[in-house]
Amino acid sequence: QVQLLESGGGSVQTGGSLRLSCAASGNTDGDRCMGWFRQPSPGKTREGVAAIDSAGRTSYADSVKGRFTISQDSASNTLYLEMYSLKPEDSAMYYCAASRVVPGLKTRAPFECFKFLQIWGQGTLVNVSS
């Protein structure tokens, strides 16, 4: 089983930037996906923000395209989310997520990663003030 630990959240002003990190441990071998979700408040729906598969293919929510970049360092099993031009509506708890091995991953479209992300970290809070 994969364990995930996020870090890097904090408070910034509108237009600022942050980099979130997610350290993965456990069995991370095989064709898998990793990604970031966010939840503005406990009662709201968790939204898929960005995902990446083990081949490095990425997918982004329309709301963050051009401002967020997802990347991974396979050597250290660390996932990153670089966030630029932050807006108040980006404020949320950000969760790192991982999949189990995905059958036929190479034949799937990158956006399909979101539906396989089922293992969650504890979350890191991002607050963007106006």
Side-chain angles (χ1 to χ4, degrees):
Q1 179 75 337
V2 175
Q3 293 85 44
L4 304 170
L5 182 63
E6 303 99 331
S7 60
S11 295
V12 295
Q13 293 187 324
T14 296
S17 60
L18 281 173
R19 187 175 80 158
L20 306 183
S21 299
C22 173
S25 59
N27 184 3
T28 59
D29 294 336
D31 290 338
R32 298 173 185 261
C33 297
M34 292 194 73
W36 294 92
F37 280 70
R38 65 185 180 187
Q39 189 172 20
S41 61
K44 297 216 173 165
T45 303
R46 200 173 284 192
E47 171 195 26
V49 174
I52 187 168
D53 68 17
S54 47
R57 300 181 303 165
T58 59
S59 183
Y60 295 91
D62 287 343
S63 58
V64 305
K65 278 181 184 174
R67 299 189 300 120
F68 290 14
T69 301
I70 189 170
S71 62
Q72 59 190 356
D73 182 341
S74 299
S76 64
N77 282 337
T78 304
L79 181 73
Y80 300 100
L81 184 67
E82 295 182 82
M83 305 184 294
Y84 301 97
S85 302
L86 283 162
K87 307 174 183 179
E89 52 264 44
D90 294 317
S91 297
M93 185 71 79
Y94 282 71
Y95 295 92
C96 176
S99 74
R100 294 176 176 82
V101 172
V102 178
L105 179 62
K106 295 181 177 64
T107 64
R108 297 180 182 272
F111 72 86
E112 293 189 70
C113 266
F114 285 111
K115 69 182 180 185
F116 291 106
L117 296 174
Q118 299 173 331
I119 302 167
W120 302 93
Q122 295 298 308
T124 185
L125 187 62
V126 172
N127 181 56
V128 185
S129 57
S130 56

